[in-house]
Amino acid sequence: MQGFVELEGDRLSLRVSLKGGAVVDGHTRDGRRFLRRHDDGAFDVLRSACFPLVPVGNRVEGNGFELGGKSYRFTHNTAEPNYIHGDGWLAEWNVEDASATHVRLAFEQLRPAKSPHVYRAVQTVTLDGATVTLSLSVTNLGNETLPFGIGFHPYFPRTEGTLLTAPAMAWWTEREGHLPGVRTPIADSADFATPRLLPRRRLNNCFEGWSGQAQIIWPETKLAADIAADASFSRYMLYAPEDDRSFFCLEPMSHTPNALATSGANALHLLAPGQTLSGAFSITVSNFEVTQ
């Protein structure tokens, strides 16, 4: 695999791809994985460990929105009918600064392409002891105010004993097209206010009213990961497919998926020309002692 930056700290190791700005592997120095490892085949962002969501996250139903009496359009960017996950995960990022434990990547979209946005995105990945911190910012380089959103799409290993804690206040059901349905109280089987196993059924739901705190425990590898997201990320998307139980995703997001279609442009962050939206989250890895 070519075109990636290797980060090595005293506790953790990462690889970051310039394609998609994606983290492709994350493990402790003794080889225990806290992020999914990309296989050795041809690079595919959707098999990576984490990628950035910019200038919006998740799907935009109908590929458009209205703002100020004007219609704006997206072009679908995969085989799916709806534009998904923004542009950043499909872009080629440039290294602006790098060291053994830090990399800053950037890319600019200087004219409308798959989205109507014109912007500059910057992502940093930093190792500090047992913590990896990922930050993302987007600056509106266009000449009109537009809605922007950011997020991250990490893939975590999933074992039979994986425990998740991620308290939230409400969630969105899933409807046809992998889109949010209605906002309701969280179902008992998916309430992660306290540590619990992921249910064996599919989960593809947005959880709102999140404090930004979560914890994952892997008893089999005696490893734990504490997640801390800043106030920009007040909700997360939880994806756990039924047909592949080797991973799950907990995706910090600045906005609810499909909010452009269901709630309008004001449901995201309206950035005037020159304004910036930014956010960060961290993963702190520690040993977990299994008690009998």
Side-chain angles (χ1 to χ4, degrees):
M1 188 184 302
Q2 298 180 346
F4 64 87
V5 178
E6 190 87 24
L7 301 183
E8 291 280 352
D10 58 347
R11 300 280 299 279
L12 306 177
S13 297
L14 289 177
R15 288 188 297 167
V16 182
S17 170
L18 302 187
K19 184 176 181 180
V23 176
V24 297
D25 188 16
H27 59 85
T28 63
R29 292 300 296 270
D30 61 8
R32 291 176 293 171
R33 301 195 181 281
F34 61 92
L35 288 170
R36 180 175 70 169
R37 180 185 183 275
H38 193 288
D39 60 34
D40 293 326
F43 179 73
D44 181 351
V45 175
L46 292 177
R47 299 204 307 273
S48 69
C50 182
F51 57 82
L53 307 175
V54 64
V56 299
N58 216 272
R59 295 170 174 83
V60 179
E61 184 180 17
N63 295 324
F65 64 94
E66 304 285 329
L67 179 62
K70 183 177 177 180
S71 297
Y72 296 87
R73 300 297 300 167
F74 295 89
T75 302
H76 66 89
N77 52 359
T78 68
E80 289 199 22
N82 293 318
Y83 176 81
I84 182 172
H85 293 330
D87 307 317
W89 69 296
L90 299 172
E92 192 73 25
W93 295 63
N94 299 308
V95 177
E96 292 197 331
D97 181 58
S99 69
T101 58
H102 169 85
V103 64
R104 183 175 72 241
L105 305 174
F107 88 93
E108 294 185 350
Q109 183 161 291
L110 298 179
R111 60 187 179 196
K114 298 291 185 180
S115 76
H117 301 78
V118 177
Y119 61 94
R120 169 179 166 83
V122 178
Q123 180 186 198
T124 63
V125 184
T126 303
L127 296 181
D128 183 6
T131 299
V132 54
T133 300
L134 295 96
S135 66
L136 181 63
S137 69
V138 59
T139 300
N140 184 0
L141 298 183
N143 56 14
E144 58 184 333
T145 297
L146 285 179
F148 285 79
I150 56 174
F152 286 97
H153 200 305
Y155 293 76
F156 296 100
R158 182 178 179 181
T159 62
E160 285 296 320
T162 299
L163 295 170
L164 173 64
T165 308
M169 296 177 63
W171 78 335
W172 287 79
T173 62
E174 183 183 16
R175 62 180 170 90
E176 186 179 358
H178 313 303
L179 295 164
V182 295
R183 189 179 190 269
T184 71
I186 299 170
D188 289 343
S189 63
D191 187 353
F192 297 97
T194 57
R196 68 179 303 151
L197 298 170
L198 290 161
R200 300 191 69 83
R201 65 177 180 83
R202 168 187 170 90
L203 287 175
N204 187 36
N205 306 87
C206 177
F207 290 71
E208 292 186 336
W210 180 41
S211 66
Q213 304 296 311
Q215 185 183 60
I216 305 166
I217 295 173
W218 297 278
E220 294 90 340
T221 57
K222 299 182 179 180
L223 202 65
D226 287 283
I227 296 169
D230 66 25
S232 296
F233 301 125
S234 59
R235 69 259 300 147
Y236 64 85
M237 189 75 183
L238 184 60
Y239 175 54
E242 189 173 17
D243 58 352
D244 185 352
R245 294 195 176 97
S246 67
F247 74 89
F248 73 99
C249 302
L250 190 153
E251 309 160 33
M253 293 184 64
S254 69
H255 60 286
T256 299
N258 202 36
L260 275 174
T262 59
S263 303
N266 288 310
L268 276 70
H269 294 262
L270 291 175
L271 298 185
Q275 288 187 323
T276 298
L277 170 66
S278 61
F281 87 105
S282 65
I283 305 170
T284 300
V285 180
S286 61
N287 292 321
F288 174 76
E289 294 300 326
V290 180
T291 58
Q292 300 296 327

